[in-house]
């Protein structure tokens, strides 16, 4: 008869089996058949946050993509219909910066010299390349999506939806052009928004100058204010100095004013409150520069002056800092903007003209020294903001940007957030904090390849905001013939007629914040307000050749909105989660999601950030091919999402080691099922012929129930723990306790083990889709008629009653056995050496399992009752008890050492009139002479260690059996091979157990022979 199962190799080759499974899924259309199987069922809606198509996927991307796939696969097993639409982010600084690197461009001027049309084409080409690369990487991870029908955020359809949103903000009066100081990247030549820059990853430790500078007071001979700055480039633009009006300031004998608490040890000539200094005028450090003409430098009050560093007097450069700029409005200060968009000094600043903010530092220091204004020059290491995309240190510039006011949405967003199920739950508060403190949304970027903002200001003062491509075509005065897509430079050549005065108006050159692109997708991808479905209606503009995605109709949107789940990294609270919330709340008055799963960051296995430059970065493809995608997925599933994961080959090796237990258990099943010519039947319940079978069946049902609850609660870490605990029970209890039944080919044992393993594969398949399906193919699809050919088509196991009492009973038995093994380890006696007696105290409910306990621990008798074979030693926990007892500690310590105490239960003791809690004492139970004792949580076991000749002989027999079977394996004997065992005449007394030895070693004969060297020899029986 043909064997039922293919034998398993000793160790699984995860990458190889994954490639085989991928090829089979493709060949057999497994994913497409799953979708067909579930089509029309209850819906489960997931909206994918777009991954940026500008580089290969990293292992940090794999965390989120693995989790998304886990829950989509689980819901598919439960029969839910799903959309499976992947998203790619396709424009903005992400893409531009990488293309600049490709082309060797280093400034906006060089981009413009290169040509905007060609630059945009190169951006699109890069996106197209990495759409392909990331699609293949995601497939290799095992992610099932409707590949080829992705949404791409640079499609004209997506852009039109954003235009509609912007037109609505304009209609509501939220859209405005603001003149303010903003964070600016001098390399990218654009302002950046609060939500882009807020993350701690956008601040790094940097070394900067640390200068203490004198500002001489006018009409006060010999007196000067002392200010501190770490940005020398801002000093040429100084217009004021700020003091805390409530703080005390002192004048030193050297004529220097500082806050008292920052003045140090100085001779104080005079003191004054800050408000007394307000209005004083001083000479600026660079009053001779043309830009400073007409500036009157004076002291202003500011409640937020820091008094924990510096001098307590803050130099104010209104054109070079956000707070400084706001103070200019309060105190009517002039605004000097010293640098251009590339961070270089403008005309009007003398010898500094043309220098960058970094290049000017040393010349500023030298100029201050020449003018006698420099008191001290050093350096400081502090955290400083860098561009989120190109990592260039940021500066502040006063510029005109476009903003959306957020005050009217703040409270509705906060209210709606209370209804969202956040995992981990503490992230709800993070979102609350962001919403409470968010500034108006800076939506404009002075860049090129991005969303063209549809703002057409007219000379008459009217702002025209275009809300659709149809409206653009209707109002255009020209340029439509060359409008190949809604990107620069083509859109720039389409002027419109002003709706107010009828004159021609042109679009502003700015493009939009990239989070507008991603924020609209819960509306644009689902066809909100679209009257009829448009085949390939999302494949428009730049996306035309990259996707076949349709544009659904509004009825479809109503079916799938809001999403049941969205999942991205924790940083997306202020980015994608925020933008989709803001835009959906604006247009439809509700959030686009019901539940959020967020997660932290990927570090290397030692906890350090991964960087190519330090050599600790792991490429995604490398991880998949060296670890296996399932191992990557399991690592991420096992990690609590609220903590950073330490990812690497060491942790991966540990996962592989743990999975070997399952692999070996299935290998055991395969081996003995094939020996017994046993075949499974699909769709039948296990016979559960014995109490142990019944236990495994109910243990498996408990696994199904527990994992279902974990999946529903988005809890992959408890899921992995539950599964590994089950595998331990399966291997180290059921299989070990049933070995003789398998050796004898008992079909009831084989059927029970097979059924339990198969259910376990169904449960774990969302997390380890390759491993589970590979084993399913062997155990089920190719062995059972009528069975699903993939575990992913088999559905979720049906819930069944769990015998809780039996589970608790066996769990207690295992506790007894584990403590017995601990006692064995203390004694130094190996488990193969039988002992006479075990006494168990505190587990009377498992007395019916005495024979199992005896067999597991190699003892002849198991008694249940009080353990009188141990000595209790109690010591004071000095760090805890010392402060409590003080001088009385010595008396109590002596009483404890003398055994003069009363045990009260629950770990408490009474000694010398004091009642001590379990955290105040250290308790140790030691076996009396001839006993080994172990205990925990009210359960104590004691092993009698005395050996008699009969026990010693049994121990020798077991050692022999162990050694013979080890030699069989070393000689690569088949598991069914019979042998002839040869013993020395000196071991003749072992023949008392001859039949037992034969049975355990598959020996057909035992001979006594004299031979040198080894203690025994074996030959294959003829």
């Amino acid at each position: 008869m043909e064997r039922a199962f293919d034998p398993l190799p000793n160790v699984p080759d995860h990458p190889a089996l994954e490639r085989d499974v991928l090829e089979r899924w493709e060949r057999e259309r497994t994913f497409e058949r799953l979708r067909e199987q579930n089509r029309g069922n209850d819906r489960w809606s997931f909206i994918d946050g777009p991954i940026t198509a500008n580089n290969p996927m990293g292992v940090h991307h794999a965390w989120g993509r693995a989790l998304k796939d886990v829950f989509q696969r689980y819901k598919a097993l439960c029969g839910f219909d799903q959309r499976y639409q992947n998203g790619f982010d396709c424009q903005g600084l992400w893409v531009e910066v990488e293309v600049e690197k490709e082309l060797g461009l280093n400034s906006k001027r060089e981009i413009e010299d290169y040509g905007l049309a060609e630059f945009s084409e190169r951006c699109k080409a890069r996106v197209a390349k990495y759409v392909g690369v990331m699609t293949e990487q995601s497939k290799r991870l095992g992610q099932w999506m409707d590949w080829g029908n992705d949404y791409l955020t640079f499609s004209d359809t997506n852009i039109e939806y954003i235009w509609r949103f912007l037109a609505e903000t304009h209609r509501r009066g939220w859209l405005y052009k603001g003149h303010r100081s903003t964070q600016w990247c001098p390399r990218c030549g654009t302002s950046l928004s609060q939500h882009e820059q807020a993350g701690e990853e956008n601040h790094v430790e940097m070394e900067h100058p640390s200068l203490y500078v004198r500002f001489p007071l006018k009409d006060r001979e010999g007196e000067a204010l002392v200010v501190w700055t770490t940005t020398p480039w801002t000093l040429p633009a100084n217009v004021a100095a700020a003091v805390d009006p409530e703080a005390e300031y002192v004048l030193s004998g050297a004529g220097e004013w500082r806050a008292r608490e920052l003045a140090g040890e100085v001779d104080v000539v005079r003191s004054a409150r800050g408000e007394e200094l307000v209005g004083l005028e001083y000479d600026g450090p660079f009053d001779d520069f043309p830009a400073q003409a007409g500036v009157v430098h004076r002291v202003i009050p500011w409640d937020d002056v820091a008094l924990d560093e510096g001098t307590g007097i803050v130099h104010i450069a209104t054109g070079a800092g956000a707070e400084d700029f706001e103070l200019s409005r309060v105190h009517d200060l002039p605004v000097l903007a010293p640098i251009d968009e590339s961070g270089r000094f403008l005309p009007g600043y003398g010898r500094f003209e043309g220098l960058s903010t970094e290049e000017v530092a040393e010349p500023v220091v030298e100029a201050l020294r020449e003018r006698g204004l420099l008191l001290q020059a050093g350096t400081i290491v502090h955290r400083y903001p860098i561009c989120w995309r190109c990592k260039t240190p940021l500066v502040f510039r006063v510029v005109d940007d476009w903003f959306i006011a957020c005050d009217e949405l703040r409270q509705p967003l906060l209210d709606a957030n209370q209804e969202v199920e956040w995992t981990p739950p503490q992230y709800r508060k993070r979102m609350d904090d962001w919403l409470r403190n968010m500034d108006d949304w800076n939506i404009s970027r002075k860049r090129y390849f991005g969303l063209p903002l549809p703002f057409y200001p007219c000379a008459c003062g009217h702002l025209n905001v275009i809300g659709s491509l149809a409206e653009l075509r209707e109002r255009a005065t020209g340029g439509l013939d060359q409008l190949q897509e809604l990107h620069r430079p083509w859109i720039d050549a389409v002027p419109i007629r002003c709706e107010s005065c009828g004159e021609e108006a042109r679009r502003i050159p700015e493009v939009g914040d990239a989070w507008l692109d991603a924020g609209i997708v819960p509306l644009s991808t689902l066809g909100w307000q679209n009257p009829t479905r448009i085949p390939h209606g999302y494949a428009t503009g730049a996306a035309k050749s990259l996707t076949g995605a349709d544009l659904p109709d509004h009825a479809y949107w109503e079916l799938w909105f809001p999403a049941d789940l969205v999942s991205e990294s924790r940083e997306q609270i202020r980015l994608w989660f925020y933008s989709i919330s803001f835009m959906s709340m604006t247009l439809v008055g509700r959030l686009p999601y019901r539940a959020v799963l967020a997660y932290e960051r990927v570090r290397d296995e030692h906890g350090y950030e991964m960087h190519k430059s330090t050599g600790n970065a792991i490429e995604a493809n490398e991880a998949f091919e060296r670890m296996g995608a399932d191992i990557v997925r399991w690592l991420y599933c096992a990690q609590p999402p609220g903590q950073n994961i330490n990812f690497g080959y060491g942790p991966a090796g540990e996962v592989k080691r743990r999975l070997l237990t399952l692999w070996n258990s299935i290998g055991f099943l395969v081996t003995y099922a094939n020996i017994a010519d046993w075949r499974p039947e699909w769709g039948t319940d296990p016979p559960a012929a014995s109490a142990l079978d019944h236990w495994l069946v109910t243990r498996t049902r408990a696994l199904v129930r527990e994992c279902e609850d974990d999946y529903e609660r988005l809890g992959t870490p408890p899921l992995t723990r539950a599964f590994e605990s089950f595998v331990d029970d399966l291997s180290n209890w059921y299989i070990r306790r049933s070995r003789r039944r398998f050796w004898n080919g008992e079909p009831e044992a084989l059927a029970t083990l097979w059924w339990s393993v198969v259910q376990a594969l169904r449960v774990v398949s969302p997390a380890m889709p390759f491993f589970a399906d590979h084993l399913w193919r062997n155990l089920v699809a190719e062995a059972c008629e009528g069975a699903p050919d993939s575990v992913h088509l088999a559905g979720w196991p049906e819930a069944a009653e769990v015998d809780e009492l039996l589970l608790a009973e066996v769990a207690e038995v295992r506790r007894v056995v584990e403590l017995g093994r601990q006692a064995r380890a203390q004694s130094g006696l190996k488990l193969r050496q039988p002992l006479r007696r075990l006494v168990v105290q505190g587990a009377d409910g498992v007395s019916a399992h005495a024979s199992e306990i005896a067999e597991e621990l190699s003892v002849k008798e198991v008694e249940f009752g009080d353990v009188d074979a141990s000595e209790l030693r109690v010591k004071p926990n000095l760090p805890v008890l010392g402060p409590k007892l003080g001088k009385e500690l010595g008396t109590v310590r002596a009483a404890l050492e003398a055994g003069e105490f009363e045990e009260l239960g629950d770990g408490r003791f009474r000694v010398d009139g004091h009642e001590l809690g379990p955290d105040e004492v250290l308790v140790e139970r030691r076996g009396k002479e001839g006993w080994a004792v172990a205990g925990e949580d009210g359960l104590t076991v004691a092993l009698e260690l005395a050996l008699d000749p009969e026990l010693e002989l049994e121990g020798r027999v077991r050692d022999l059996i162990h050694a013979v079977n080890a030699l069989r394996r070393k000689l690569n004997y088949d598991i069914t091979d019979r042998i002839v065992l040869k013993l020395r005449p000196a071991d003749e007394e072992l023949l008392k157990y001859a039949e037992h030895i034969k049975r355990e070693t598959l020996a057909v004969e035992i001979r006594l022979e004299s031979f040198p060297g080894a203690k025994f020899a074996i030959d294959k029986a003829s």
Side-chain angles (χ1 to χ4, degrees), residues 791-848:
V791 67
H792 305 294
L793 300 174
W796 186 256
E798 292 185 11
E801 185 177 353
V802 175
D803 188 339
E804 301 286 0
L805 291 177
L806 177 59
L807 290 179
E809 193 173 301
V810 174
E812 190 71 353
V813 171
R814 294 203 66 185
R815 280 187 69 212
V816 171
V817 170
E818 181 57 34
L819 287 175
R821 289 176 180 151
Q822 292 179 24
R824 276 265 190 184
Q826 295 171 20
S827 72
L829 291 173
K830 56 195 172 189
L831 191 59
R832 291 193 298 274
Q833 173 59 62
L835 296 174
R836 185 64 58 193
R837 184 161 58 120
L838 173 76
V839 181
V840 180
Q841 177 180 320
D844 295 344
V846 300
S847 57

Side-chain angles (χ1 to χ4, degrees), residues 53 89-97 99 111 116-127 153-155 159 445-452 485-490 509-512 514 517 542-543:
D89 234 338
C90 304
Q91 57 191 13
L93 276 177
W94 288 292
V95 179
E96 286 195 57
V97 169
V99 172
I111 293 174
L116 291 194
E118 182 59 28
F119 184 73
S120 291
E121 293 296 345
R122 293 295 294 261
C123 288
K124 290 190 291 181
R126 185 177 182 89
V127 168
T153 60
F154 64 3
S155 75
I159 290 171
R445 302 290 180 271
K446 292 172 171 48
R447 293 294 301 186
Y448 307 104
F449 188 67
L451 160 79
E485 63 192 61
L486 298 181
H487 281 109
R488 300 186 69 187
W490 305 284
E510 286 91 337
V511 296
D517 304 330

Side-chain angles (χ1 to χ4, degrees), residues 668 690 692-693 695-696 730-731 733-746 749-750 752-753 855-856:
F668 181 89
S690 70
L692 196 56
D693 291 347
W695 170 79
L696 182 58
L730 180 81
S731 172
W733 192 252
Y734 181 78
I735 290 178
R736 197 176 69 247
R737 297 288 312 134
S738 307
R739 281 188 183 276
R740 284 184 176 81
R741 298 174 65 201
F742 291 112
W743 293 342
N744 295 330
E746 286 190 24
L750 291 165
T752 301
L753 179 57
E855 185 176 350
E856 283 292 310

Side-chain angles (χ1 to χ4, degrees), residues 967 982-984 987 1009-1018:
L967 183 57
K982 303 172 185 178
L983 299 179
R984 297 178 305 184
D987 291 325
E1009 293 185 9
S1010 297
F1011 48 86
K1015 295 181 179 180
F1016 66 88
I1018 63 173

Side-chain angles (χ1 to χ4, degrees), residues 647-824:
F647 183 94
Y649 294 106
E654 180 61 23
V655 169
K656 289 182 178 181
R657 185 191 64 78
R658 295 199 301 271
L659 284 179
L660 270 180
T661 303
L662 175 63
W663 183 263
N664 291 336
S665 297
I666 294 174
F668 181 89
L669 166 65
V670 165
T671 297
Y672 285 99
N674 285 341
I675 290 172
D677 288 332
W678 178 84
R679 301 188 75 89
E681 291 184 23
W682 175 251
T684 60
D685 291 330
S690 70
L692 196 56
D693 291 347
H694 178 51
W695 170 79
L696 182 58
V697 169
T698 204
R699 179 67 181 86
T700 305
R701 289 171 175 167
L703 171 72
V704 172
R705 182 184 64 186
E706 185 175 357
C707 289
E708 180 175 342
D709 183 56
D710 292 333
Y711 280 123
E712 291 294 338
R713 293 185 298 105
L714 308 178
T716 54
L719 169 85
T720 60
R721 292 194 296 269
F723 185 78
E724 291 181 357
S725 174
F726 170 80
V727 170
D728 178 66
D729 284 347
L730 180 81
S731 172
N732 294 319
W733 192 252
Y734 181 78
I735 290 178
R736 197 176 69 247
R737 297 288 312 134
S738 307
R739 281 188 183 276
R740 284 184 176 81
R741 298 174 65 201
F742 291 112
W743 293 342
N744 295 330
E746 286 190 24
E748 295 83 5
L750 291 165
T752 301
L753 179 57
W754 176 86
W755 178 86
S756 294
V757 165
V758 166
Q759 308 320 306
L761 293 178
R762 295 166 79 179
V763 163
V764 80
S765 64
M768 289 194 292
F770 299 104
F771 192 67
D773 213 24
H774 173 78
L775 292 170
W776 179 274
R777 188 77 167 190
N778 191 12
L779 295 180
V780 182
E782 295 178 348
C784 304
E785 290 188 11
D789 58 32
S790 169
V791 67
H792 305 294
L793 300 174
W796 186 256
E798 292 185 11
E801 185 177 353
V802 175
D803 188 339
E804 301 286 0
L805 291 177
L806 177 59
L807 290 179
E809 193 173 301
V810 174
E812 190 71 353
V813 171
R814 294 203 66 185
R815 280 187 69 212
V816 171
V817 170
E818 181 57 34
L819 287 175
R821 289 176 180 151
Q822 292 179 24
R824 276 265 190 184

Side-chain angles (χ1 to χ4, degrees), residues 584-644:
S584 289
M585 185 65 76
T586 298
L587 292 174
V588 301
R590 53 183 169 146
L591 295 183
Y593 50 82
R594 294 189 176 97
V596 179
L597 172 61
Y599 47 90
E600 283 295 326
R601 297 176 179 168
V602 178
R603 298 288 185 257
D604 75 5
E605 60 187 83
H606 305 293
Y608 297 107
E609 289 190 21
M610 286 188 178
H611 293 292
K612 290 182 181 179
S613 60
T614 56
N616 66 343
I618 299 176
E619 297 291 343
N621 289 351
E622 176 192 337
F624 300 155
E625 290 308 310
R626 286 186 58 185
M627 299 178 184
D630 274 332
I631 305 303
V632 171
R633 294 170 68 110
W634 196 253
L635 280 168
Y636 287 135
C637 286
Q639 179 65 20
Q643 302 171 13
N644 292 338

